[in-house]
Amino acid sequence: MSTGHRVVVCPAAALPAGEVVRVDRPGLDVPVAVFNVDGDLFAIDDTCTHADESLAEGWVEDCAVECPRHASAFDLRTGVPSSPPAITPVRTHLVEVVDGEVVVEVGTPRPA
């Protein structure tokens, strides 16, 4: 994936709190999942680092998503897994609302 690749995901109104959208478009090496957690947006690579599984299909609690295959949980703020079997973080991406659209800066890590 190229650094700083801007992707318009959807209108902000189409991603309400508690929802997730999976972005898989030409030009992206891997799909990206964008989560709305209580009004805060988070974007991560959508593939679990332990198994080839979509994290967008997982369960979100607090600010973590649990992989539906083996239950590894990833912090949406940092991408760091909190439990095995995954030990490698997923990449995070900068996400913001620009002119009413959810925009992901793929390859630009979310600020700490």
Side-chain angles (χ1 to χ4, degrees):
M1 233 182 286
S2 30
T3 300
H5 182 90
R6 291 177 62 87
V7 176
V8 176
V9 176
C10 64
L15 187 59
E19 296 296 319
V20 61
V21 64
R22 183 176 190 265
V23 183
D24 189 8
R25 298 198 182 137
L28 296 179
D29 291 340
V30 298
V32 172
V34 182
F35 298 83
N36 183 332
V37 179
D38 298 326
D40 292 323
L41 299 177
F42 301 94
I44 60 172
D45 282 353
D46 185 43
T47 305
C48 176
T49 57
H50 169 257
D52 188 21
E53 191 72 34
S54 170
L55 294 172
E57 299 295 321
W59 301 272
V60 177
E61 187 173 333
D62 297 322
C63 204
V65 60
E66 183 178 299
C67 177
R69 184 175 290 178
H70 294 118
S72 285
F74 296 88
D75 187 311
L76 293 172
R77 297 166 291 211
T78 64
V80 174
S82 62
S83 60
I87 57 172
T88 304
V90 292
R91 290 188 312 166
T92 64
H93 307 282
L94 181 63
V95 59
E96 57 191 350
V97 176
V98 178
D99 297 327
E101 301 283 336
V102 175
V103 178
V104 175
E105 190 82 24
V106 178
T108 300
R110 181 179 192 280

